[in-house]
Amino acid sequence: MIPGRRRSTQQGSSLLELTVAMGVAAVLAAVGLFHLDAGAAELAAAHQEIRGSLDQAFTLARARGTNVTVALGRAGGVGEHLPVHLGRRVKWGKPAHIPLPPDMDADSVAAATGESHALFTVTPRRTALAGAWFLNDGQEALCMRLSGHGRLQVLRWRRDRQKWTRA
């Protein structure tokens, strides 16, 4: 030990340091909650719900050797359907202030309801009736397009960028 120096016996944080750290954490948490957009989170959940239902439909169709129908946003209908449930903030359709995605022709059904095919069928050979539909939370939107070969393309309208991006 060096002469004239005392050894510090403090082994923890003072109450003041702990209070300041908790205050900083609270401010950061409040800022994070302010920026959390519940509608955008529900859109992301709807995207995953639809993707999972499509995967399940293709797997079921292949296992059974028969076609399977996916009911977007509906639990009923004729025959056997895999329903897709949407959050309460998520609505069908594309708001008028959001343009159509690039390379997409206006469709009379899609223009009226935001969906070309609310019920669509997938086959055991992983093919599907081509379909497109829109979901929105009032601010942002998703455009989901299913090719005839069963590939799902998802585009998201970003209000901050004012353009469609891949989701």
Side-chain angles (χ1 to χ4, degrees):
M1 184 167 165
I2 302 173
R5 287 193 78 167
R6 287 189 179 166
R7 197 175 215 181
S8 176
T9 58
Q10 184 180 9
Q11 294 188 4
S13 302
S14 71
L15 183 58
L16 178 63
E17 291 171 332
L18 183 62
T19 304
V20 169
M22 288 177 62
V24 169
V27 168
L28 291 175
V31 169
L33 286 175
F34 177 74
H35 289 291
L36 180 66
D37 186 357
E42 285 194 24
L43 269 180
H47 171 203
Q48 294 305 317
E49 174 83 16
I50 290 171
R51 187 175 293 281
S53 293
L54 283 171
D55 288 342
Q56 183 180 8
F58 282 123
T59 301
L60 248 131
R62 178 141 192 163
R64 293 180 179 172
T66 61
N67 295 347
V68 173
T69 301
V70 177
L72 301 175
R74 300 177 187 169
V78 180
E80 185 177 357
H81 295 69
L82 289 176
V84 174
H85 302 283
L86 304 175
R88 58 187 173 90
R89 289 191 174 133
V90 176
K91 309 264 186 289
W92 283 111
K94 179 187 73 59
H97 67 277
I98 297 176
L100 283 171
D103 303 325
M104 186 170 187
D105 295 329
D107 182 61
S108 58
V109 176
T113 65
E115 50 185 305
S116 294
H117 306 283
L119 294 172
F120 59 90
T121 303
V122 300
T123 68
R125 294 184 177 194
R126 200 163 173 83
T127 60
L129 178 65
W133 60 97
F134 292 91
L135 300 172
N136 76 82
D137 66 357
Q139 302 294 321
E140 295 193 356
L142 287 179
C143 173
M144 299 184 163
R145 297 191 266 193
L146 186 65
S147 74
H149 299 291
R151 297 197 86 215
L152 181 67
Q153 178 189 32
V154 182
L155 300 173
R156 185 171 189 149
W157 173 258
R158 300 285 184 175
R159 70 175 178 235
D160 55 342
R161 296 181 191 166
Q162 294 292 304
K163 70 176 192 174
W164 289 96
T165 60
R166 285 191 179 263

